[in-house]
Amino acid sequence: DPNYPTIYPIFRDRFKARVASTSGYDRPGWHADVTAAVNPPAASILRAEVLPPYGGDTQWSNTVAAYEGLSAPVKALADGLRAVHRFSPGAGTTPTEDYLRRVEKRPLLTEHPVVRVHPETGEKALYVNPGFTSHIVGVSPHESRRLLELFYDELARPEYTVRFRWAPGSIAFWDNRSSVHLAPRDLTTDDDRRLYRITLVGDVPVGPDGRESVALEGEPFEAI
């Protein structure tokens, strides 16, 4: 609705028309919202309106708990690492030409700390995710893949996760700075699922060493 530009509709058919031919919704895999920006969203609010008769649950994982689950030597290693986050079409999608042009026109590429200090609680959280993290800086490609696999495995441990079953009118409100979420994987192209999202502008992440994230390409998000 042009009268409410801050409200983003999440519809299967809208995603397919604007972004890519896909069997799913939005970005597949665990992710935090748009961490490719230098100031990723602080939080998101999602409201459900139309849902399929079954399936379509969303899962969240606590990235503070995931960091705490690492051993002390691995925590110390992670505290000093940086990683590049890139905005790109999700795996398994066939992007439209218009979408590729828009991505090329407004690229988002940022170097973030692998461990983020929460600006309000002071807690440390793992700040990598399969949806946007490209590689770890300063290590070999092989080491980067293995380290990211270790961190991703920790993020996905069931004891850190919650599964939310939507109903019409349900609202989910999550902290994007200390969680990752997983879009539903049990839907087909025939399932109608319509939700609306508002995203809150965030600040620039800071690592345990006090270093802020650095934008490599693209501009910070601004409030509408």
Side-chain angles (χ1 to χ4, degrees):
D1 189 328
N3 295 317
Y4 301 97
T6 59
I7 300 177
Y8 178 80
I10 299 177
F11 302 166
R12 179 202 67 246
D13 49 356
R14 183 180 189 275
F15 180 83
K16 184 175 181 179
R18 286 174 54 87
V19 180
S21 298
T22 176
S23 61
Y25 299 75
D26 276 342
R27 178 174 297 273
W30 289 102
H31 64 283
D33 288 330
V34 200
T35 57
V38 70
N39 62 331
S44 294
I45 307 169
L46 188 61
R47 181 183 184 275
E49 183 177 272
V50 177
L51 298 164
Y54 55 86
D57 297 352
T58 301
Q59 297 180 71
W60 282 268
S61 180
N62 185 332
T63 57
V64 172
Y67 174 81
E68 290 297 329
L70 300 172
S71 64
V74 176
K75 285 181 185 176
L77 172 63
D79 283 349
L81 295 175
R82 311 271 290 187
V84 171
H85 295 231
R86 178 189 300 273
F87 189 87
S88 61
T93 63
T94 304
T96 64
E97 292 185 5
D98 177 64
Y99 177 77
L100 290 175
R101 282 195 298 267
R102 285 187 280 124
V103 171
E104 291 173 0
K105 185 177 180 180
R106 296 189 63 186
L108 283 178
L109 189 69
T110 297
E111 181 185 296
H112 288 302
V114 166
V115 176
R116 177 179 187 174
V117 178
H118 195 284
E120 296 179 36
T121 68
E123 295 172 307
K124 293 181 179 180
L126 271 182
Y127 204 64
V128 291
N129 67 84
F132 290 102
T133 305
S134 166
H135 63 279
I136 293 177
V137 176
V139 302
S140 70
H142 172 74
E143 290 170 331
S144 175
R145 287 192 300 271
R146 298 301 293 271
L147 287 169
L148 288 174
E149 286 173 3
L150 172 65
F151 298 145
Y152 296 161
D153 284 347
E154 196 68 25
L155 289 174
R157 286 178 61 175
E159 57 264 45
Y160 305 149
T161 66
V162 63
R163 186 182 186 103
F164 186 63
R165 181 163 296 172
W166 296 94
S170 292
I171 294 176
F173 188 175
W174 67 92
D175 191 329
N176 202 54
R177 301 163 295 186
S178 56
S179 68
V180 290
H181 55 281
L182 183 65
R185 309 301 296 271
D186 56 355
L187 297 169
T188 71
T189 55
D190 296 326
D191 291 324
D192 193 11
R193 183 177 182 270
R194 296 172 179 256
L195 305 93
Y196 296 89
R197 186 179 68 203
I198 292 177
T199 301
L200 308 185
V201 173
D203 51 357
V204 177
V206 177
D209 57 2
R211 293 173 60 198
E212 293 187 339
S213 300
V214 177
L216 305 178
E217 290 188 75
E219 300 296 324
F221 284 152
E222 295 181 358
I224 296 177

